[in-house]
Structures are given as C-alpha cells and as structure tokens.
Amino acid sequence: MRYTLALVLPLLLSACGDSYTPVDVYMAKTPECASWQEGSRFALPRGISVSTTPPVTLPDGGAEFTFVYLVPRGERALFLSREYAVTQPKGPVIAKPQLVSFYQRTTNSPAEIVEVIPKVPDMLIAGATGEETIWRVRLRVTDKLPARFDVTPPAFEIALHKYPMRTFTYRYFPDRKAYGLCS
C-alpha cells in the first residue's frame, strides 16, 4: 500500500496543476471590429467568469457599462487593482469610469434582495447559500467616447495565481445609434 501511494500521489498532484490557458484575451478579432456582439463571456479558472452586454449609450456621447461576475460556491477571486480602464484600442487610458453600483446576490436569491457595495471590493467571495454568487458592477463614463475603444476590468488572483482579464472592445454603430460590443 505504501508503494502504491508513492506512485499515485505525484500523479494526483500533477492533475491539480494550473492547466488554464486564457482564450481571446483581446476581444476584437479584426482591425475594423465591425461585427455587433450581443454579449461576451470570459471564463477564468475554477468556474469563475465575467460577462457583459452592449452598454447603454448616454445622450451626451458617454456610456454605462455592466459587468457580471459569477463565482461558484467555495471560490474567491482577489482583484489585483480596483481600476476599470477605458482606453484607445490597445492604447492609452482615455477615461476612468465612475462606479454607479456594485452588488452581490446568490443565484437562488430573489433579484430584489441584493447587498450594494459602495466601492469595488478587494475580492469577490462566493456566498454559502447558493451554487453561484452573482457580482454585478455598473460603471458610467459621462465624457464623449470615441468611435472605437476598449474597456478592461481589473485582473484577478485566483488560488495564488495571477490571471489576465479580457479587454472588451466597443465601437459606435451608426445604424443602431448606439455603442456596442464588437469583434
């Protein structure tokens, strides 16, 4: 039995290694980024994910963005910063969005029962009462945005490993008179 454990233990430990490879860290697939996308989901290790839909275009040329994080029971993700950045495509920061709201609820809680947090927290921790906890953040940029730009949420540390976050790509679609996700 002692020899069997000695042979099996290294195999079990190697199976626990970090085999995660991020897919499409930069959302835009083409330089034109001409295709409207209804939403985008970025999967992270341990079942954690972040997703978004097209923003609400504001009358003054700004936009309001919503990002939804899902964290399975027993998991947590530490923000490496608290900054969301709006940038030129793969370029410098052009705006720092203002936090409108950040709240959490478990997936089995009614949508009306949420805990609002006044700032971006240090980490996202799954609640114990549901299979997953939804963390929803709303951000607003009131300045006029350019025809094309990127939004990058803060990167995460999950289980002592640092992971990049997807850069979500947006552009103005004149036919829709709105900003939207593009690829």
Side-chain angles (χ1 to χ4, degrees):
M1 178 70 169
R2 182 172 57 169
Y3 297 109
T4 305
L5 184 59
L7 293 173
V8 173
L9 187 59
L11 292 173
L12 290 173
L13 290 175
S14 68
C16 296
D18 183 17
S19 62
Y20 170 79
T21 303
V23 177
D24 298 328
V25 175
Y26 190 72
M27 186 177 165
K29 306 257 190 283
T30 65
E32 302 80 30
C33 201
S35 299
W36 176 277
Q37 300 292 302
E38 286 300 324
S40 180
R41 181 180 176 276
F42 184 64
L44 290 147
R46 298 179 173 244
I48 298 169
S49 67
V50 60
S51 59
T52 190
T53 56
V56 173
T57 303
L58 301 175
D60 60 0
E64 193 169 280
F65 306 88
T66 300
F67 291 94
V68 177
Y69 298 90
L70 286 178
V71 182
R73 181 185 293 157
E75 297 298 334
R76 65 181 181 187
L78 176 69
F79 281 115
L80 294 178
S81 80
R82 292 183 177 184
E83 300 292 322
Y84 288 77
V86 177
T87 63
Q88 292 288 344
K90 295 185 179 182
V93 174
I94 55 174
K96 297 268 185 174
Q98 136 192 33
L99 180 66
V100 176
S101 65
F102 205 121
Y103 73 78
Q104 70 168 6
R105 70 175 178 86
T106 57
T107 51
N108 62 343
S109 300
E112 302 81 36
I113 301 175
V114 297
E115 180 181 338
V116 178
I117 300 164
K119 62 181 182 174
V120 176
D122 292 333
M123 73 173 58
L124 305 181
I125 301 173
T129 60
E131 287 301 312
E132 292 179 310
T133 299
I134 298 169
W135 292 81
R136 185 174 184 263
V137 60
R138 282 185 30 221
L139 305 164
R140 183 179 299 135
V141 174
T142 56
D143 298 333
K144 183 166 177 47
L145 291 164
R148 182 169 168 204
F149 58 92
D150 295 333
V151 177
T152 306
F156 275 141
E157 179 181 297
I158 302 169
L160 302 177
H161 294 326
K162 294 178 180 174
Y163 296 98
M165 185 56 67
R166 168 172 285 163
T167 296
F168 296 93
T169 309
Y170 300 85
R171 71 181 285 267
Y172 188 77
F173 288 86
D175 56 323
R176 295 175 185 248
K177 296 185 173 105
Y179 289 106
L181 290 161
C182 65
S183 65

